[in-house]
Amino acid sequence: MVSAPDPIPADAALPDRLRLLRALERKVLWLSSWTIHHANHIRPSRDGLKVGGHQASSASVATILTALYFDILRPEDRIAVKPHASPVFHAIQYLLGRQSLENLKNFRALGGAQSYPSRTKDADDVDFSTGSVGLGAAMTSFAALVQDYLHLKGRLPDGQARGRMVSVVGDAELDEGNVYEALLEGWKHDIRNVWWVIDYNRQSLDSTITDLLYSRFDQLFEAMGWRVVTAKYGSLLEAAFARPGGGALREWIDSCPNSLYAALCYKGGALVRGAADDDRTKGWREHLVADLGDERGIRALLDGLDDAGLQRLMTNLAGHDMATMQAMFRAVDDDRPTCFIAYTIKGFGLPFEGHKDNHAGLMNPAQIDGFREESNIPSGAEWDRFAGLEIDSDELQAFLDAVPFAARYPRRTSAPRVAVPAIGTPRPAGQGGTLSTQAAFGQILDALARDDAPLADRIVTTSPDVTVSTNLGAWVNRRGIFDRRDRGDTFRDEKVVSAQQWRQSTEGQHIELGIAENNLFILLAALGLSHETFGTRLLPIGTLYDPFIQRGLDALNYACYQGARFLLVATPSGVSLAPEGGAHQSVGTPLIGMAQDGLAAFEPAYADELAVQMAWSFDYLQRDGSARRGRGWLRDAQGGSVYLRLSTRALEQPDRTMDNALRQNIVDGAYWLKPPATGAELAVVYTGAVAPEAIAAWNALAEDIPGAGLLAVTSADRLNAGWTAAQRARQTAAPKGDGTPPGTLSHIESLLAPLAPDAGLVTVLDGHPATLSWLGAVYGHRTHSLGVEHFGQSADIPDLYRAHRIDTEAILDACAKIALERLTARR
Ligand SMILES: Cc1ncc(C[n+]2csc(CCOP(=O)(O)OP(=O)(O)O)c2C)c(N)n1
Ligand SMILES: [Mg+2]
């Protein structure tokens, strides 16, 4: 049975608290507006580019975030703040003493407060990064799943309460499909302790959003088992509704189209507008008189309000009413997922409130000056934390010091490293048999599952409906499927024979997902941050078909950007899956592996290489920069996530023993399978499943070109990164941050050094040829690169390799051509 989080203490509900919260809400709105203004209008510009920042999006959530941070949240809660409210987030951190003035002044500048809240780039307490809309919301759902995974296994640190995973999202984020993928998956897993707070300002970037959507949101959430709490009106409007004519007023607002309401908010405001804008303030009155003038009580209501008062009343939506927000959040004290729909006005209280073009709108100097005066802030005291608030500074400070959310600092947790056991090389069944890297992966996990090493208990696997076909079957048979309830294995109970024994229980260590790849990556992000979010280290392994990385690429990027640690196993890959073929062939993924920040990519050909890479990965996943390790230039101290591109093509395995030198080469990205003679005029370079073709070509060449080398590239990514970093170190002639001694050769420079200066390289892989073509730039060697550029045809391997020109003959043709070019160049 899952219990609800700690209730909020009753004494916290004193009206005095409300007074302080209201003051802080005004300060938060001011500071967020001023931070943006400062960056755009006061800090000198060097490039003439607009700095930007979103004053309207920020104003929309100033009340909601003030209520959450200063009143509602607890230290164990985790929050994803909508990207464009970053200035509000930083203002709150500043008030809590967790963000520096310097960083606010440097908003959107190097080292300063980031444009969108960033776990890895911001100095203050960001729980979950946001930026790509829709992903932050999904992140909180999967974080809740991870929290329960740990809780139900008794693995949360002693005394650590479960927190709420809160996402404050813009309403337009609900257009993103990944949100619904996450909702569905969350429902399947019966997630708890998730709050999504929708800033329902009915505006996106370009304009107001359709009126038809509103009635859909609650139904969608309710269908997924969520509680929906809609807060539409603030206390002023509620009071007006209770007066004569109030019912008609309410009906009028309820049926007012989004765009008209927004336009009137813009026209009607008088808060920071100059006298010249007076003619715009007639909006509300004109429309209400025209539509409701004959209703009893309406004239009296309107006559009792000046323009400013009428604007205040009509913009008093719930999301700007502190008492309403506070009560709304406090009313929920169980663990059922809850969606709060808070009506707001984009740009609330600012000159462009409600204007459809306000997304990138910035107050001009005169307008911010008016707003400053309105806020009683003396000129020169713009950054002062308490200036203009009619509450004693000591009282405010005492309140801030006692904010529950900030009671523990740092809120980010850590967890000790888990020792990595030796990983043996999987062997083919039978004498002289063959093995694919995918099969070897399954065997390695099977061996880990049998093992009682602590590492195996921390591994959690997950897959979007390709668990069996990516060879996780043996692992799952041993370690079981995670489920909140003990569901057993129906097929087994019914004595239906199957190789898959899928017992579902809280003990299970595999989280089975539906097909949506976005969910895989966001779950990997949540699992891979478990040590920093929940204080318990997990080692997540996610499997999927290689081509479908592209389906979830933004979510993968999001996971890496947050610094999450996971092992991504993508298989099968390339055209080598042959008859399976067609749309399942991946071409560009090796380039994704090279380009994706935070992800080290490997493509092994043999089982022993894979074993080395996996052992290294389990260690690399756990590094945090605290110890100097490996090669400084390869993020080897910081660590990161790892992507293994595997294949179903079974290869004959090399007969060799793994020594430390080979192990290091495999990790650094390449080794000579057949070392070249000094001054060799040719080398064949290959990656992955095309090893037999490269070897056959090399054998055929041996007579004509003795001394030619055969280079096995196990990681084009690390090889390239090492080379780039070494060049950078030499350019700047100082070790700098990456720790590379300036004179050091990178791994690929050392490997290629024996070749003749005018030697040729022929590179080949089952992937885009550009993955290896850069090798020619290392020493200026003439290079012919073979690979796959087109895809979509099913066939067997001989036909496909021939069609794509990655077979032995194509390699030999390229070698012959390059030899000829060399001779011609020499003449
Ligand atoms: C995936 C993605 N697509 C597009 C954008 C560009 N973009 C930034 S904000 C925005 C609209 C945001 O509207 P909403 O979520 O309602 O927030 P509001 O500005 O109204 O507070 C868009 C399209 C983005 N950040 N991420
Ligand atoms: Mg919006």
Side-chain angles (χ1 to χ4, degrees), residues 171-172 199 201 203-204:
D171 44 0
D199 171 12
N201 60 25
Q203 274 188 257
S204 57

Side-chain angles (χ1 to χ4, degrees), residues 57 82 84 131-133 170-172 176 201 203-205 346 359:
S57 301
K82 70 166 193 173
H84 304 82
S132 180
V133 297
D171 44 0
E176 291 287 0
N201 60 25
Q203 274 188 257
S204 57
L205 192 159
K346 190 158 171 173
H359 187 76

Side-chain angles (χ1 to χ4, degrees), residues 713-782:
V713 173
T714 50
S715 170
D717 177 31
R718 283 175 58 85
L719 206 57
N720 179 266
W723 176 55
T724 310
Q727 286 176 304
R728 190 186 313 118
R730 288 192 291 263
Q731 287 153 18
T732 55
K736 294 267 172 65
D738 63 12
T740 314
T744 311
L745 286 186
S746 64
H747 188 51
I748 189 61
E749 288 166 319
S750 305
L751 286 169
L752 297 183
L755 300 183
D758 64 347
L761 302 178
V762 171
T763 69
V764 58
L765 81 156
D766 180 359
H768 197 277
T771 310
L772 295 174
S773 61
W774 60 272
L775 288 171
V778 174
Y779 286 117
H781 291 131
R782 185 183 304 279

Side-chain angles (χ1 to χ4, degrees), residues 6 59 105 151 179 261 279 379 398 433 503 519 526 537 565 580 598 683 693 737 761 804 822:
D6 294 346
K105 286 183 170 171
H151 166 70
V179 167
Y261 203 85
D279 60 338
S379 176
R503 207 179 86 74
N519 284 339
R537 192 177 293 280
R565 301 306 173 86
E580 180 78 11
E693 283 66 28
L761 302 178
H804 290 290
R822 183 168 178 264

Side-chain angles (χ1 to χ4, degrees), residues 235-241 243-246 249 253 261 268 270 281-286 288-289 292 297-316:
S235 33
L236 291 179
L237 273 173
E238 292 288 1
F241 296 155
R243 292 176 43 151
L249 178 66
I253 299 178
Y261 203 85
T281 62
K282 297 197 179 73
W284 293 118
R285 203 174 298 275
E286 275 174 2
L288 289 170
V289 167
L292 301 179
I298 286 289
R299 293 240 178 219
L301 193 152
L302 293 177
D303 290 348
L305 293 167
D306 62 9
D307 284 345
L310 184 56
Q311 170 76 353
R312 211 166 143 238
L313 173 70
M314 296 303 285
T315 59
N316 178 239

